[in-house]
Amino acid sequence: MSDSRLTREQSKALTRERVLDAARVVFASRGFHGASVEEIAAEAGYSTGALYSNFEGKEDLFLALMEREVDRHTEEIAAAVRDRSSVTERALGGSAQWMTVIEREPELLLLFMEFWAYGARDAQVRERVAGSFARAREVLTRLIADATRDFDLELTMPAQELAVAIDALADGVARQKLADPSAVPDDLMGNVVTLLLAGASRPATGRAAGRAAGTGTRSAP
């Protein structure tokens, strides 16, 4: 469908996405503080008026972009985990996807760190930033719960706490990989997640655990 045939709502949504795409390019190149709304608007092919009609300003645009990217990459990781044949395979699949993101989009990882730092420093936007990361942890929590159900396991600690630990591990691995790539083997994340979850899971009490044991799923969700 050509732009001329879009409804007003569709046209506005398309403009918003194009501005977000342009913001991703400019913020990735210059960082939050180095980027300007003029440069972002030019990258999108619009005037600054189009930017301000969709966002309150540079801060709002940056926060919206990071929320979109966190959600997108969380879904990519979830897709890499779902429907795998064992708990260990799910852990390795999700970890491998995260390592792919680090290798493919290092500049985006730096923006995630800016996003975190921005929320940590500014109480006025902290709730919004925390909410975005909380949604990612909720997805991880569901993936852990699904794995324990699918493979007849039970956890020795709450799934929510495991999700926090894995999320923190992912952040730390990304930081180390960006600073010193040779210090972080590509399979490190998967191996550590597997060990972490192996220590926090066991065959479900009073349930047939043969299916889990037979598929090697004692390791991790």
Side-chain angles (χ1 to χ4, degrees):
M1 182 181 293
S2 68
D3 288 5
S4 62
R5 297 178 61 188
L6 297 175
T7 67
R8 182 174 181 179
E9 291 75 16
Q10 290 172 328
S11 179
K12 183 176 178 63
L14 180 60
T15 299
R16 179 182 172 86
E17 283 303 304
R18 286 176 174 171
V19 171
L20 284 168
D21 289 342
R24 191 183 189 283
V25 172
V26 177
F27 282 133
S29 174
R30 300 189 178 277
F32 171 72
H33 294 289
S36 69
V37 293
E38 291 81 9
E39 187 175 6
I40 293 168
E43 175 71 25
Y46 295 121
S47 67
T48 56
L51 187 152
Y52 283 112
S53 70
N54 286 275
F55 303 95
E56 295 177 5
K58 188 171 79 166
E59 177 186 276
D60 184 43
L61 174 57
F62 178 68
L63 295 174
L65 172 65
M66 289 295 93
E67 289 167 342
R68 186 186 77 168
E69 295 302 316
V70 169
D71 290 345
R72 282 184 174 181
H73 284 79
T74 299
E75 182 51 39
E76 281 187 4
I77 291 170
V81 170
R82 295 189 187 105
D83 301 325
R84 288 182 176 250
S85 60
S86 73
V87 185
T88 298
E89 285 300 312
R90 292 186 186 187
L92 295 176
S95 298
Q97 178 59 35
W98 180 240
M99 297 305 296
T100 297
V101 172
I102 297 172
E103 292 283 352
R104 184 184 67 201
E105 302 174 276
E107 70 286 345
L108 182 64
L109 271 295
L110 294 175
L111 285 181
F112 283 159
M113 293 175 191
E114 283 196 66
F115 185 46
W116 170 83
Y118 202 71
R121 290 193 181 107
D122 191 334
Q124 292 184 332
V125 300
R126 187 174 300 150
E127 184 175 351
R128 182 173 175 182
V129 172
S132 185
F133 288 125
R135 289 195 301 276
R137 290 195 302 273
E138 287 169 4
V139 171
L140 181 54
T141 299
R142 288 197 298 272
L143 292 171
I144 293 170
D146 289 347
T148 58
R149 182 195 64 242
D150 292 346
F151 300 108
D152 295 317
L153 299 173
E154 63 183 17
L155 298 173
T156 58
M157 63 185 296
Q160 294 90 336
E161 293 182 8
L162 276 176
V164 170
I166 294 170
D167 189 41
L169 173 63
D171 289 343
V173 166
R175 187 177 68 248
Q176 296 282 349
K177 187 72 171 177
L178 291 174
D180 187 1
S182 64
V184 183
D186 289 340
D187 60 354
L188 177 64
M189 175 82 180
N191 291 339
V192 174
V193 170
T194 299
L195 290 171
L196 173 65
L197 294 171
S201 65
R202 63 193 177 198
T205 304
R207 296 168 60 187
R211 177 160 59 95
T215 55
T217 60
R218 181 66 181 85
S219 301

